[in-house]
mmCIF file of all heavy atoms in Angstrom:
data_model
loop_
_atom_site.group_PDB
_atom_site.id
_atom_site.type_symbol
_atom_site.label_atom_id
_atom_site.label_comp_id
_atom_site.label_asym_id
_atom_site.label_seq_id
_atom_site.Cartn_x
_atom_site.Cartn_y
_atom_site.Cartn_z
ATOM 1 N N GLU A 1047 2.410 -9.934 -11.710
ATOM 2 C CA GLU A 1047 1.942 -9.077 -12.807
ATOM 3 C C GLU A 1047 0.424 -9.060 -12.897
ATOM 4 O O GLU A 1047 -0.198 -8.012 -13.081
ATOM 5 C CB GLU A 1047 2.561 -9.549 -14.128
ATOM 6 C CG GLU A 1047 2.252 -8.628 -15.289
ATOM 7 C CD GLU A 1047 2.980 -9.026 -16.563
ATOM 8 O OE1 GLU A 1047 3.903 -9.863 -16.491
ATOM 9 O OE2 GLU A 1047 2.623 -8.485 -17.643
ATOM 10 N N MET A 1048 -0.197 -10.221 -12.751
ATOM 11 C CA MET A 1048 -1.653 -10.290 -12.853
ATOM 12 C C MET A 1048 -2.329 -9.573 -11.687
ATOM 13 O O MET A 1048 -3.376 -8.929 -11.869
ATOM 14 C CB MET A 1048 -2.119 -11.743 -12.941
ATOM 15 C CG MET A 1048 -1.809 -12.605 -11.749
ATOM 16 S SD MET A 1048 -2.122 -14.385 -12.052
ATOM 17 C CE MET A 1048 -3.891 -14.457 -11.798
ATOM 18 N N ILE A 1049 -1.727 -9.638 -10.501
ATOM 19 C CA ILE A 1049 -2.300 -8.939 -9.350
ATOM 20 C C ILE A 1049 -2.173 -7.428 -9.526
ATOM 21 O O ILE A 1049 -3.134 -6.670 -9.308
ATOM 22 C CB ILE A 1049 -1.630 -9.405 -8.044
ATOM 23 C CG1 ILE A 1049 -2.143 -10.789 -7.659
ATOM 24 C CG2 ILE A 1049 -1.888 -8.399 -6.907
ATOM 25 C CD1 ILE A 1049 -3.639 -10.861 -7.367
ATOM 26 N N ASP A 1050 -1.000 -6.956 -9.920
ATOM 27 C CA ASP A 1050 -0.818 -5.514 -10.103
ATOM 28 C C ASP A 1050 -1.778 -4.977 -11.156
ATOM 29 O O ASP A 1050 -2.370 -3.900 -10.983
ATOM 30 C CB ASP A 1050 0.629 -5.205 -10.492
ATOM 31 C CG ASP A 1050 1.595 -5.341 -9.331
ATOM 32 O OD1 ASP A 1050 1.130 -5.530 -8.183
ATOM 33 O OD2 ASP A 1050 2.814 -5.273 -9.567
ATOM 34 N N ALA A 1051 -1.973 -5.709 -12.241
ATOM 35 C CA ALA A 1051 -2.887 -5.259 -13.287
ATOM 36 C C ALA A 1051 -4.334 -5.278 -12.803
ATOM 37 O O ALA A 1051 -5.150 -4.442 -13.216
ATOM 38 C CB ALA A 1051 -2.728 -6.142 -14.523
ATOM 39 N N ALA A 1052 -4.672 -6.212 -11.926
ATOM 40 C CA ALA A 1052 -6.043 -6.284 -11.411
ATOM 41 C C ALA A 1052 -6.347 -5.132 -10.468
ATOM 42 O O ALA A 1052 -7.495 -4.666 -10.392
ATOM 43 C CB ALA A 1052 -6.259 -7.621 -10.696
ATOM 44 N N VAL A 1053 -5.328 -4.665 -9.749
ATOM 45 C CA VAL A 1053 -5.533 -3.508 -8.870
ATOM 46 C C VAL A 1053 -5.605 -2.233 -9.705
ATOM 47 O O VAL A 1053 -6.566 -1.458 -9.623
ATOM 48 C CB VAL A 1053 -4.406 -3.416 -7.821
ATOM 49 C CG1 VAL A 1053 -4.555 -2.131 -6.990
ATOM 50 C CG2 VAL A 1053 -4.425 -4.622 -6.901
ATOM 51 N N PHE A 1054 -4.564 -1.982 -10.499
ATOM 52 C CA PHE A 1054 -4.554 -0.840 -11.417
ATOM 53 C C PHE A 1054 -4.017 -1.299 -12.764
ATOM 54 O O PHE A 1054 -2.942 -1.911 -12.816
ATOM 55 C CB PHE A 1054 -3.677 0.306 -10.894
ATOM 56 C CG PHE A 1054 -3.528 1.399 -11.925
ATOM 57 C CD1 PHE A 1054 -4.529 2.353 -12.075
ATOM 58 C CD2 PHE A 1054 -2.434 1.451 -12.770
ATOM 59 C CE1 PHE A 1054 -4.426 3.328 -13.047
ATOM 60 C CE2 PHE A 1054 -2.312 2.427 -13.742
ATOM 61 C CZ PHE A 1054 -3.320 3.376 -13.886
ATOM 62 N N PRO A 1055 -4.774 -1.105 -13.818
ATOM 63 C CA PRO A 1055 -6.013 -0.326 -13.930
ATOM 64 C C PRO A 1055 -7.294 -1.128 -13.745
ATOM 65 O O PRO A 1055 -8.388 -0.607 -13.968
ATOM 66 C CB PRO A 1055 -5.927 0.201 -15.360
ATOM 67 C CG PRO A 1055 -5.256 -0.916 -16.101
ATOM 68 C CD PRO A 1055 -4.250 -1.488 -15.143
ATOM 69 N N GLY A 1056 -7.168 -2.397 -13.322
ATOM 70 C CA GLY A 1056 -8.337 -3.274 -13.311
ATOM 71 C C GLY A 1056 -9.461 -2.857 -12.397
ATOM 72 O O GLY A 1056 -10.634 -3.014 -12.744
ATOM 73 N N GLY A 1057 -9.134 -2.328 -11.212
ATOM 74 C CA GLY A 1057 -10.204 -2.043 -10.258
ATOM 75 C C GLY A 1057 -10.122 -0.705 -9.576
ATOM 76 O O GLY A 1057 -11.092 -0.274 -8.938
ATOM 77 N N GLN A 1058 -8.989 -0.052 -9.656
ATOM 78 C CA GLN A 1058 -8.806 1.238 -9.005
ATOM 79 C C GLN A 1058 -8.089 2.200 -9.943
ATOM 80 O O GLN A 1058 -7.385 1.780 -10.867
ATOM 81 C CB GLN A 1058 -7.966 1.091 -7.725
ATOM 82 C CG GLN A 1058 -8.612 0.262 -6.647
ATOM 83 C CD GLN A 1058 -7.791 0.172 -5.370
ATOM 84 O OE1 GLN A 1058 -8.216 -0.458 -4.408
ATOM 85 N NE2 GLN A 1058 -6.625 0.796 -5.335
ATOM 86 N N GLY A 1059 -8.253 3.506 -9.658
ATOM 87 C CA GLY A 1059 -7.497 4.527 -10.360
ATOM 88 C C GLY A 1059 -6.320 4.967 -9.516
ATOM 89 O O GLY A 1059 -5.491 4.167 -9.121
ATOM 90 N N GLY A 1060 -6.284 6.249 -9.198
ATOM 91 C CA GLY A 1060 -5.172 6.771 -8.424
ATOM 92 C C GLY A 1060 -5.128 6.192 -7.028
ATOM 93 O O GLY A 1060 -6.155 6.143 -6.334
ATOM 94 N N PRO A 1061 -3.954 5.748 -6.582
ATOM 95 C CA PRO A 1061 -3.831 5.232 -5.213
ATOM 96 C C PRO A 1061 -3.945 6.358 -4.194
ATOM 97 O O PRO A 1061 -3.648 7.521 -4.493
ATOM 98 C CB PRO A 1061 -2.431 4.611 -5.196
ATOM 99 C CG PRO A 1061 -1.675 5.381 -6.231
ATOM 100 C CD PRO A 1061 -2.664 5.715 -7.303
ATOM 101 N N LEU A 1062 -4.389 6.025 -3.005
ATOM 102 C CA LEU A 1062 -4.511 7.003 -1.917
ATOM 103 C C LEU A 1062 -3.159 7.101 -1.223
ATOM 104 O O LEU A 1062 -2.862 6.360 -0.292
ATOM 105 C CB LEU A 1062 -5.599 6.570 -0.941
ATOM 106 C CG LEU A 1062 -6.970 6.273 -1.563
ATOM 107 C CD1 LEU A 1062 -7.959 5.829 -0.487
ATOM 108 C CD2 LEU A 1062 -7.499 7.477 -2.328
ATOM 109 N N MET A 1063 -2.322 8.028 -1.704
ATOM 110 C CA MET A 1063 -0.942 8.065 -1.240
ATOM 111 C C MET A 1063 -0.826 8.427 0.242
ATOM 112 O O MET A 1063 0.120 8.008 0.910
ATOM 113 C CB MET A 1063 -0.119 9.039 -2.087
ATOM 114 C CG MET A 1063 0.094 8.578 -3.521
ATOM 115 S SD MET A 1063 0.685 6.865 -3.703
ATOM 116 C CE MET A 1063 2.153 6.866 -2.684
ATOM 117 N N HIS A 1064 -1.771 9.201 0.765
ATOM 118 C CA HIS A 1064 -1.731 9.492 2.202
ATOM 119 C C HIS A 1064 -1.998 8.226 3.013
ATOM 120 O O HIS A 1064 -1.377 8.010 4.059
ATOM 121 C CB HIS A 1064 -2.721 10.603 2.570
ATOM 122 C CG HIS A 1064 -4.127 10.352 2.125
ATOM 123 N ND1 HIS A 1064 -4.467 10.093 0.819
ATOM 124 C CD2 HIS A 1064 -5.294 10.331 2.823
ATOM 125 C CE1 HIS A 1064 -5.776 9.922 0.729
ATOM 126 N NE2 HIS A 1064 -6.297 10.046 1.934
ATOM 127 N N ASN A 1065 -2.879 7.354 2.529
ATOM 128 C CA ASN A 1065 -3.103 6.085 3.217
ATOM 129 C C ASN A 1065 -1.904 5.158 3.082
ATOM 130 O O ASN A 1065 -1.548 4.435 4.021
ATOM 131 C CB ASN A 1065 -4.355 5.399 2.660
ATOM 132 C CG ASN A 1065 -5.635 5.957 3.251
ATOM 133 O OD1 ASN A 1065 -5.668 7.114 3.657
ATOM 134 N ND2 ASN A 1065 -6.676 5.168 3.286
ATOM 135 N N ILE A 1066 -1.283 5.157 1.917
ATOM 136 C CA ILE A 1066 -0.096 4.332 1.730
ATOM 137 C C ILE A 1066 1.027 4.806 2.650
ATOM 138 O O ILE A 1066 1.787 3.998 3.204
ATOM 139 C CB ILE A 1066 0.333 4.326 0.255
ATOM 140 C CG1 ILE A 1066 -0.719 3.560 -0.572
ATOM 141 C CG2 ILE A 1066 1.717 3.706 0.068
ATOM 142 C CD1 ILE A 1066 -0.495 3.604 -2.069
ATOM 143 N N ALA A 1067 1.127 6.114 2.846
ATOM 144 C CA ALA A 1067 2.107 6.629 3.811
ATOM 145 C C ALA A 1067 1.780 6.146 5.215
ATOM 146 O O ALA A 1067 2.676 5.774 5.989
ATOM 147 C CB ALA A 1067 2.139 8.149 3.774
ATOM 148 N N GLY A 1068 0.486 6.130 5.564
ATOM 149 C CA GLY A 1068 0.092 5.589 6.862
ATOM 150 C C GLY A 1068 0.432 4.124 7.003
ATOM 151 O O GLY A 1068 0.829 3.656 8.076
ATOM 152 N N LYS A 1069 0.303 3.368 5.896
ATOM 153 C CA LYS A 1069 0.714 1.968 5.916
ATOM 154 C C LYS A 1069 2.225 1.860 6.143
ATOM 155 O O LYS A 1069 2.687 1.052 6.962
ATOM 156 C CB LYS A 1069 0.334 1.286 4.599
ATOM 157 C CG LYS A 1069 -1.161 1.193 4.342
ATOM 158 C CD LYS A 1069 -1.451 0.657 2.941
ATOM 159 C CE LYS A 1069 -2.925 0.769 2.601
ATOM 160 N NZ LYS A 1069 -3.256 0.272 1.256
ATOM 161 N N ALA A 1070 2.999 2.673 5.414
ATOM 162 C CA ALA A 1070 4.456 2.620 5.542
ATOM 163 C C ALA A 1070 4.899 2.910 6.971
ATOM 164 O O ALA A 1070 5.753 2.201 7.531
ATOM 165 C CB ALA A 1070 5.108 3.613 4.575
ATOM 166 N N VAL A 1071 4.324 3.933 7.575
ATOM 167 C CA VAL A 1071 4.698 4.301 8.942
ATOM 168 C C VAL A 1071 4.282 3.208 9.928
ATOM 169 O O VAL A 1071 5.050 2.807 10.815
ATOM 170 C CB VAL A 1071 4.070 5.658 9.327
ATOM 171 C CG1 VAL A 1071 4.327 5.969 10.804
ATOM 172 C CG2 VAL A 1071 4.627 6.782 8.450
ATOM 173 N N GLY A 1072 3.062 2.701 9.774
ATOM 174 C CA GLY A 1072 2.605 1.633 10.659
ATOM 175 C C GLY A 1072 3.420 0.366 10.510
ATOM 176 O O GLY A 1072 3.697 -0.331 11.498
ATOM 177 N N PHE A 1073 3.826 0.041 9.286
ATOM 178 C CA PHE A 1073 4.664 -1.139 9.083
ATOM 179 C C PHE A 1073 6.032 -0.949 9.745
ATOM 180 O O PHE A 1073 6.604 -1.901 10.295
ATOM 181 C CB PHE A 1073 4.847 -1.422 7.595
ATOM 182 C CG PHE A 1073 3.590 -1.816 6.859
ATOM 183 C CD1 PHE A 1073 3.543 -1.777 5.471
ATOM 184 C CD2 PHE A 1073 2.454 -2.223 7.546
ATOM 185 C CE1 PHE A 1073 2.392 -2.145 4.788
ATOM 186 C CE2 PHE A 1073 1.287 -2.590 6.869
ATOM 187 C CZ PHE A 1073 1.265 -2.547 5.478
ATOM 188 N N ALA A 1074 6.568 0.275 9.663
ATOM 189 C CA ALA A 1074 7.848 0.535 10.337
ATOM 190 C C ALA A 1074 7.711 0.323 11.834
ATOM 191 O O ALA A 1074 8.598 -0.260 12.481
ATOM 192 C CB ALA A 1074 8.316 1.958 10.040
ATOM 193 N N GLU A 1075 6.606 0.765 12.413
ATOM 194 C CA GLU A 1075 6.369 0.535 13.846
ATOM 195 C C GLU A 1075 6.256 -0.960 14.148
ATOM 196 O O GLU A 1075 6.752 -1.436 15.174
ATOM 197 C CB GLU A 1075 5.095 1.263 14.275
ATOM 198 C CG GLU A 1075 5.214 2.774 14.235
ATOM 199 C CD GLU A 1075 3.890 3.476 14.510
ATOM 200 O OE1 GLU A 1075 2.829 2.829 14.416
ATOM 201 O OE2 GLU A 1075 3.935 4.683 14.807
ATOM 202 N N ALA A 1076 5.599 -1.695 13.239
ATOM 203 C CA ALA A 1076 5.408 -3.130 13.471
ATOM 204 C C ALA A 1076 6.708 -3.921 13.367
ATOM 205 O O ALA A 1076 6.784 -5.051 13.867
ATOM 206 C CB ALA A 1076 4.386 -3.685 12.482
ATOM 207 N N LEU A 1077 7.719 -3.350 12.735
ATOM 208 C CA LEU A 1077 9.030 -4.007 12.661
ATOM 209 C C LEU A 1077 9.852 -3.810 13.930
ATOM 210 O O LEU A 1077 10.889 -4.459 14.097
ATOM 211 C CB LEU A 1077 9.809 -3.486 11.448
ATOM 212 C CG LEU A 1077 9.310 -3.999 10.087
ATOM 213 C CD1 LEU A 1077 9.900 -3.171 8.957
ATOM 214 C CD2 LEU A 1077 9.667 -5.477 9.919
ATOM 215 N N GLU A 1078 9.388 -2.927 14.817
ATOM 216 C CA GLU A 1078 10.088 -2.703 16.077
ATOM 217 C C GLU A 1078 9.778 -3.832 17.067
ATOM 218 O O GLU A 1078 8.670 -4.388 17.062
ATOM 219 C CB GLU A 1078 9.654 -1.368 16.682
ATOM 220 C CG GLU A 1078 10.106 -0.150 15.889
ATOM 221 C CD GLU A 1078 11.601 0.062 16.024
ATOM 222 O OE1 GLU A 1078 12.067 0.288 17.150
ATOM 223 O OE2 GLU A 1078 12.293 -0.035 14.991
ATOM 224 N N PRO A 1079 10.719 -4.198 17.947
ATOM 225 C CA PRO A 1079 10.473 -5.277 18.918
ATOM 226 C C PRO A 1079 9.248 -5.040 19.797
ATOM 227 O O PRO A 1079 8.582 -6.007 20.204
ATOM 228 C CB PRO A 1079 11.757 -5.290 19.755
ATOM 229 C CG PRO A 1079 12.802 -4.738 18.841
ATOM 230 C CD PRO A 1079 12.111 -3.707 18.005
ATOM 231 N N ALA A 1080 8.924 -3.777 20.074
ATOM 232 C CA ALA A 1080 7.777 -3.489 20.936
ATOM 233 C C ALA A 1080 6.470 -3.979 20.339
ATOM 234 O O ALA A 1080 5.517 -4.267 21.073
ATOM 235 C CB ALA A 1080 7.689 -1.983 21.204
#
């Protein structure tokens, strides 16, 4: 709870959803054996 509050609204406003999508896709690739 303290970490989430420190990120928003503590230090950032709207999240960069296109970057978060890039994180999601990259994490999916990192879960592959390759």
